[in-house]
C-alpha cells in the first residue's frame, strides 16, 4: 500500500463577492481535484482547537496523526529543527518575522502593514538578520537565518512565559496593543523599536524602497516554545520510508523531529511563485523507489489568503491541481499497487480576514480499492457529507486502516 497526503496550506475559505459569491475552491478550475473526489470520500475535519494557537504548527501535527494536545510545545522550535539549529533544553525559541510597519513618527502609533515585507528574498533578509545580530546578539540571545521573512531568535531562558502576537493576525492594525506583554516586555519592545532605526537605515532596505518595494523595517517576535520530543513517525505509524516535500522550515522541522526525509527542492519558495512541478517530481520519485508515504506541502494558498488576494488564491489552486495533483494521482495509478490519497488544507485562511481561522475544513480521501461515490470537494460540498472527524489527529489512523 502506498500513501500520500497533498496539503494545500490555508486552502479553505469563505464566499467572496469578487468571485461571484464563491470560495476559491469553488471558483478554481481544478479537474484533477474533481477526479479524486469522483470516487473519493469527501468530509470535513477539525484540525485546530480553541485552547491551542490557530496555526499551521498545530494543524499539521493533527494531519500527520500527532495529537497536538500531547506533542505541541510551540511553533518556533519546530522551525528551528527544520533549519538545523541545535537546541538546548534551556532554550526558548521564537519566530522572528521581518515585517513592514508604517512610518508614523511615534513607534507605538505605527501600523502592521505587511507580515512578510513584500516577500523579501532570503538573500536580502539574511543581511538584515546579520545587522540585528550584530546589534543585539549575545550569549543569551542568538539570531539565526531562515527563509524569506521567516527567521529564528533563541533566548537562553527556559522560564519565559510572556505573551506575543503573530503579525499576520494584526494586519492593518496599530501595533501598540500587540507589543510584547509579561516577561521581558520592556526589553523586547525596546529591541523592536531600535530595530526600526537599524533596518530603515540599512542599504538593503534603501535599495528596496528605491525599487518600489516595502522595506523590512522591524523585527517581530512571536510563537515562543521549547524543543519538542516526537515519537518517531516510523514507530508511530509502521511506515519505514517517508518523505516530506516542502519549502518552509516549519514542515521541515516536523519532518526532522519525526525522522522523515525532507530533500531540498530547487526553486521551491514557500510562496505562489514556486516549483510546483519539482515538488510533484520528488513525490513521484519517492513513490517509484520504495517509499511508502509522501507528504506534499504547498504554502501558496495560505500566502494568498494572508495577502487578501482571492484571484491569486484561485490561480494557486489551479497550479496545484495541474502540476501536483494530476501528476501524482496518475503516478500512483500507474504503479499498479493499492494506494490511498488525502487532499486537504491544514486550516482555513480566508481572504476577508487575512489570517487563520479555526472552522472545520473540507478534505477528500481516495482509496484505490473502494468507490465512495463522489461529493464535490469544496467547503459547501463537505457540509453535505456525514463524514466528520472532530479530532483531526485521528484522520491518519483512518488512512492506515486495512
Amino acid at each position: 500500500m502506498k500513501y500520500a497526503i497533498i496539503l494545500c496550506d490555508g486552502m479553505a475559505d469563505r464566499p467572496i463577492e469578487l468571485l461571484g459569491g464563491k470560495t476559491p475552491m469553488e471558483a478554481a478550475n481544478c479537474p484533477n481535484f474533481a477526479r479524486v473526489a469522483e470516487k473519493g470520500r469527501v468530509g470535513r475535519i477539525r484540525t485546530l482547537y480553541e485552547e491551542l494557537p490557530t496555526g499551521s504548527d498545530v494543524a499539521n501535527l493533527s494531519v500527520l496523526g500527532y495529537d497536538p494536545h500531547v506533542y505541541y510545545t510551540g511553533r518556533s522550535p519546530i522551525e528551528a529543527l527544520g533549519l538545523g539549529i541545535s537546541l538546548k533544553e534551556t532554550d526558548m525559541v521564537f519566530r522572528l518575522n521581518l515585517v513592514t510597519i508604517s512610518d508614523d513618527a511615534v513607534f507605538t502609533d505605527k501600523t502592521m502593514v505587511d507580515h512578510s515585507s513584500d516577500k523579501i528574498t532570503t538573500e536580502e533578509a539574511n543581511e538584515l538578520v546579520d545587522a540585528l545580530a550584530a546589534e543585539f546578539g549575545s550569549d543569551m540571545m542568538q539570531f539565526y537565518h531562515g527563509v524569506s521573512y521567516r527567521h529564528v531568535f533563541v533566548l537562553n531562558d527556559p522560564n519565559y512565559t510572556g505573551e506575543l502576537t503573530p503579525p499576520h493576525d494584526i494586519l492593518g492594525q496599530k501595533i501598540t496593543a500587540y507589543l510584547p506583554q509579561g516577561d521581558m516586555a520592556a526589553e523586547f519592545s525596546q529591541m523592536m523599536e531600535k530595530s526600526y532605526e537599524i533596518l530603515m537605515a540599512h542599504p538593503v532596505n534603501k535599495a528596496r524602497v528605491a525599487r518600489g518595494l516595502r522595506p523590512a523595517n522591524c523585527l517581530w517576535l512571536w510563537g515562543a516554545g521549547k524543543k519538542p520530543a516526537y515519537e518517531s513517525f516510523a514507530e508511530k505509524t509502521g511506515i519505514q520510508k517517508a518523505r516530506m516535500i516542502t519549502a518552509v522550515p516549519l514542515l521541515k522541522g516536523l519532518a526532522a523531529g519525526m525522522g522523515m526525509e525532507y530533500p531540498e527542492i530547487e526553486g521551491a519558495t514557500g510562496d505562489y511563485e514556486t516549483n510546483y512541478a519539482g515538488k510533484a517530481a520528488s513525490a513521484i520519485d519517492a513513490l517509484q523507489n520504495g517509499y511508502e508515504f509522501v507528504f506534499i506541502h504547498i504554502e501558496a494558498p495560505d500566502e494568498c489568503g494572508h495577502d487578501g488576494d482571492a484571484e491569486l488564491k484561485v490561480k494557486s489552486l489551479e497550479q496545484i491541481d495541474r502540476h501536483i495533483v494530476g501528476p501524482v494521482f496518475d503516478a500512483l495509478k500507474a504503479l499498479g499497487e493499492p494506494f490511498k490519497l488525502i487532499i486537504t488544507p491544514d486550516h482555513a485562511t480566508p481572504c476577508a480576514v487575512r489570517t487563520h481561522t479555526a472552522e472545520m475544513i473540507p478534505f477528500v480521501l481516495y482509496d484505490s480499492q473502494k468507490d465512495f461515490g463522489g461529493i464535490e470537494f469544496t467547503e459547501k460540498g463537505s457540509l453535505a457529507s456525514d463524514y466528520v472527524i472532530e479530532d483531526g489527529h485521528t484522520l491518519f489512523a483512518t488512512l492506515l486502516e486495512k
Side-chain angles (χ1 to χ4, degrees):
M1 178 72 73
K2 298 287 189 181
Y3 306 97
I5 294 178
I6 299 176
L7 191 133
C8 310
D9 201 306
M11 173 169 64
D13 212 301
R14 299 169 183 172
I16 298 170
E17 185 176 351
L18 179 66
L19 303 179
K22 296 180 178 181
T23 69
M25 288 185 72
E26 293 168 341
N29 178 20
C30 293
N32 294 303
F33 278 68
R35 286 171 60 208
V36 175
E38 183 180 6
K39 293 185 178 180
R41 189 177 186 188
V42 172
R44 58 192 186 278
I45 184 172
R46 185 178 309 285
T47 58
L48 295 172
Y49 307 89
E50 289 184 3
E51 62 274 18
L52 292 171
T54 309
S56 292
D57 40 14
V58 172
N60 278 279
L61 278 170
S62 292
V63 175
L64 283 162
Y66 288 73
D67 184 349
H69 296 94
V70 175
Y71 291 99
Y72 182 71
T73 64
R75 178 188 183 112
S76 301
I78 305 172
E79 298 198 6
L81 291 178
L83 292 167
I85 299 169
S86 178
L87 299 177
K88 302 186 295 292
E89 301 301 325
T90 56
D91 287 337
M92 183 62 69
V93 190
F94 302 75
R95 161 73 87 82
L96 187 161
N97 271 44
L98 292 174
V99 303
T100 304
I101 55 176
S102 62
D103 59 2
D104 299 82
V106 178
F107 184 73
T108 52
D109 287 341
K110 295 182 187 297
T111 297
M112 182 63 66
V113 175
D114 186 347
H115 71 289
S116 71
S117 301
D118 259 345
K119 308 297 189 298
I120 187 170
T121 68
T122 298
E123 293 73 22
E124 291 174 306
N126 286 350
E127 287 193 49
L128 299 179
V129 171
D130 286 342
L132 296 173
E135 177 70 24
F136 304 116
S138 67
D139 289 342
M140 186 177 180
M141 298 191 296
Q142 292 93 42
F143 294 75
Y144 294 92
H145 297 156
V147 177
S148 184
Y149 61 90
R150 313 171 182 97
H151 302 270
V152 171
F153 171 78
V154 176
L155 175 71
N156 189 240
D157 180 359
N159 299 313
Y160 175 85
T161 59
E163 296 179 20
L164 303 165
T165 301
H168 52 262
D169 283 353
I170 58 169
L171 292 167
Q173 300 183 52
K174 286 189 178 295
I175 66 173
T176 185
Y178 303 103
L179 292 171
Q181 303 291 318
D183 290 359
M184 297 189 69
E187 294 92 329
F188 282 175
S189 293
Q190 289 168 9
M191 184 167 69
M192 293 161 73
E193 184 170 359
K194 179 66 174 176
S195 79
Y196 179 83
E197 299 175 18
I198 295 167
L199 295 176
M200 281 301 294
H202 198 283
V204 163
N205 276 323
K206 289 183 176 180
R208 287 178 63 79
V209 171
R211 300 198 308 273
L213 298 173
R214 289 170 174 160
N217 60 14
C218 186
L219 71 85
W220 192 273
L221 302 177
W222 62 284
K226 296 181 179 180
K227 181 180 180 179
Y230 301 126
E231 183 180 357
S232 82
F233 188 76
E235 291 175 358
K236 186 171 178 57
T237 66
I239 294 173
Q240 301 304 310
K241 296 193 72 175
R243 177 178 289 183
M244 171 72 73
I245 299 163
T246 183
V248 299
L250 175 66
L251 274 294
K252 292 179 181 179
L254 289 174
M258 296 172 186
M260 287 190 218
E261 175 191 285
Y262 52 106
E264 290 295 320
I265 310 297
E266 184 176 358
T269 64
D271 200 1
Y272 173 78
E273 296 291 346
T274 192
N275 186 0
Y276 298 92
K279 290 188 174 186
S282 180
I284 292 167
D285 171 73
L287 292 166
Q288 291 175 340
N289 288 283
Y291 285 75
E292 302 156 80
F293 172 70
V294 294
F295 188 101
I296 311 167
H297 171 264
I298 310 102
E299 181 82 356
D302 186 61
E303 289 296 314
C304 297
H306 285 308
D307 290 343
D309 194 331
E311 293 180 326
L312 195 60
K313 191 168 185 179
V314 169
K315 290 179 181 178
S316 76
L317 300 186
E318 292 174 345
Q319 294 275 51
I320 292 166
D321 180 85
R322 178 181 178 184
H323 296 296
I324 296 179
V325 175
V328 171
F329 190 45
D330 288 341
L332 283 164
K333 287 189 167 187
L335 288 172
E337 301 176 43
F339 69 90
K340 293 183 183 180
L341 167 66
I342 289 174
I343 306 175
T344 185
D346 51 350
H347 52 68
T349 307
C351 291
V353 297
R354 298 181 63 188
T355 192
H356 307 157
T357 56
E359 60 250 47
M360 297 190 82
I361 52 176
F363 73 97
V364 58
L365 167 64
Y366 183 94
D367 184 333
S368 64
Q369 297 176 307
K370 297 179 181 178
D371 184 347
F372 293 104
I375 293 175
E376 182 183 70
F377 180 40
T378 61
E379 298 87 350
K380 187 183 297 183
S382 74
L383 294 174
S385 172
D386 60 2
Y387 189 24
V388 180
I389 298 180
E390 285 285 351
D391 285 316
H393 67 93
T394 64
L395 175 64
F396 204 94
T398 302
L399 190 73
L400 297 178
E401 287 175 357
K402 302 300 182 184

